[in-house]
Amino acid sequence: MAQKPSIPKGTRDFSPLEVAKRNYIFSTIKTNFERFGFQPIETPSFENSETLMGKYGEEGDRLIFKILNSGDFLAKANDAFLETKDSLKLTAQISEKALRYDLTVPFARYVVQHQNEIEFPFKRYQIQPVWRADKPQKGRFREFYQCDADVVGSNSLWQEVELVQLYDSVFSALGLDGVTIKINNRKILSGIAEVIGAKDKLIDFTVALDKLDKIGEDGVKKEMSEKGISEEAIAKVQPLFHFTGSISEKIEKLSALLATSEEGLKGVEELRFICENVTTLGLDKSALDLDVTLARGLNYYTGAIFEVSAPKTVNMGSIGGGGRYDDLTGIFGLKNMSGVGISFGLDRIYLVLEELNLFPETVTATSRALFLNFGDAEALYAMRAIGQLRKAGIKVELYPSNAKIGKQFQYADKRGIPYAVIVGAEEIANNEFAVKDLASGEQTKVSLEELKNRLQ
């Protein structure tokens, strides 16, 4: 008996309806990217392992899908590593490539490789799939699309202001109200680690803090303690777990908290500039909020960091995120090249729009009319008309075989096609078409021009 086919966990097939809805989101994001002056690029689905490893922190590295070398990949493996089952050292010998984990690190590699061809500041967007060996759950997949917009070659904070506006522009175009764009700054987190005496534990501190919404205050404190952060330091960070007030009030609280940290105060001033200008310019349907616990566990952020939350009525994780990475290209040999970027989580945005019933009916529209097939002579007459209608931009199709009429009507009904066009000997003789509204049952005879007007 043949084995029942399946797909790997964390991946999905997409129906025509789902693809149409996804393309609607892609199109909306792409339109806004280009409206803001971003240009498209594409990079390979896999990179050399050294390009990716060590760029996402210890947790991120574990989620990178490695690709086995072709051929007899164990032939050159160290026998000692095989015997001791040292997977970390063995992996480096049997796998030289890996599927990309995100689009930002490949973008940094692209910039370094093509620096002599690029006009800086370089504004690029990229819409491609990425892969993560994560535990699948609602809104989290192992294969998913990212939609990124980045600016590299400028340290101006006006870029951050524009990226907040870009988020708002996309979500407004999708009709999504109540989105919250959270902002923080890695310099503030560094400053906090400094003033509580945990500067040497910055990464452990930020990774734990970033999990506050997932594991709660007690969970964060426990993880910090397990990572060697002192009880005294954890006590000093206590106010961050209940940090309330308006953005301006929060900024003043941070100024007082970080009075002894030069780096922390620099982060406060950067946040002040971004938030004040965004507030002055205004947002359409989104809200900006300063979230001092926002850390985003990626090592390469150095300035502003963003995370976008879906409306509170939807139980969903973040639907976007990003930040500034002043030294990202430095890991590939190109120093002093500041960058900042944001990403849209296509799959989670899809689930939010679906739950809130925000997809327009036109997105899922199928063919406007099905021409019924009564035989080859009638089909040829129909195909001439179909050609003219398609040139006019109207979606129409011919049922491919001379099947029973009931079956053809049933096909149109299941496909959600609103009109059936009937062509018999009488219609051919009179150079006309019988068009039937499948919702009302009304049927009329029209010329080709009248049919065109009816279907448009």
Side-chain angles (χ1 to χ4, degrees), residues 183-369:
I183 186 171
N184 197 13
N185 194 296
R186 284 300 288 252
K187 294 183 179 72
I188 287 174
L189 294 167
S190 297
I192 292 170
E194 180 184 344
V195 299
I196 68 172
K199 193 171 184 179
D200 60 328
K201 298 283 187 180
L202 174 61
I203 298 301
D204 292 331
F205 168 75
T206 55
V207 168
L209 191 62
D210 197 39
K211 297 177 181 177
L212 181 64
D213 61 338
K214 299 184 183 74
I215 62 177
E217 181 180 336
D218 291 340
V220 170
K221 289 178 178 178
K222 180 183 177 185
E223 182 166 327
M224 286 183 177
S225 181
E226 290 172 349
K227 293 292 185 178
I229 298 173
S230 70
E231 293 300 319
E232 183 183 359
I234 295 173
K236 288 180 180 178
V237 88
Q238 178 72 34
L240 298 184
F241 297 127
H242 308 282
F243 208 70
T244 58
S246 66
I247 289 178
S248 59
E249 289 170 343
K250 290 177 181 178
I251 288 176
E252 294 313 314
K253 288 180 184 179
L254 284 173
S255 296
L257 179 65
L258 299 170
T260 59
S261 171
E262 182 180 347
E263 184 177 15
L265 288 176
K266 186 176 180 183
V268 171
E269 290 311 305
E270 289 180 5
L271 267 187
R272 191 192 306 275
F273 179 91
I274 298 165
C275 294
E276 285 183 354
N277 281 293
V278 168
T279 301
T280 300
L281 293 167
L283 296 175
D284 187 6
K285 293 188 176 182
S286 306
L288 183 68
D289 185 36
L290 196 171
D291 183 353
V292 75
T293 66
L294 176 61
R296 296 190 63 81
L298 302 178
N299 287 347
Y300 52 69
Y301 292 128
T302 56
I305 45 180
F306 302 102
E307 190 164 281
V308 183
S309 296
K312 291 182 175 62
T313 54
V314 182
N315 183 23
M316 182 64 65
S318 65
I319 56 176
R324 181 168 285 277
Y325 40 88
D326 283 340
D327 57 359
L328 186 63
T329 55
I331 57 180
F332 299 121
L334 183 60
K335 303 293 184 181
N336 302 317
M337 185 63 70
S338 184
V340 60
I342 58 173
S343 180
F344 291 81
L346 178 279
D347 297 288
R348 290 186 176 185
I349 292 170
Y350 180 104
L351 292 173
V352 171
L353 295 183
E354 187 88 317
E355 186 167 333
L356 298 176
N357 196 29
L358 291 175
F359 283 107
E361 287 185 17
T362 52
V363 169
T364 59
T366 181
S367 295
R368 290 288 291 158

Side-chain angles (χ1 to χ4, degrees), residues 111-146:
V111 170
V112 174
Q113 272 194 258
H114 300 274
Q115 58 186 285
N116 295 325
E117 308 154 30
I118 292 172
E119 189 68 36
F120 294 102
F122 180 45
K123 301 177 73 171
R124 87 80 168 86
Y125 76 83
Q126 200 169 344
I127 300 177
Q128 288 186 278
V130 299
W131 294 266
R132 296 183 185 179
D134 215 342
K135 183 180 180 180
Q137 54 186 277
K138 181 182 178 182
R140 179 176 292 174
F141 306 100
R142 288 176 171 170
E143 178 186 61
F144 57 97
Y145 268 80
Q146 281 189 340

Side-chain angles (χ1 to χ4, degrees), residues 9 16 100 104 143 166 220 242 370 389:
K9 288 182 179 179
R100 60 172 174 244
T104 306
E143 178 186 61
L166 176 55
V220 170
H242 308 282
L370 176 72
L389 293 169

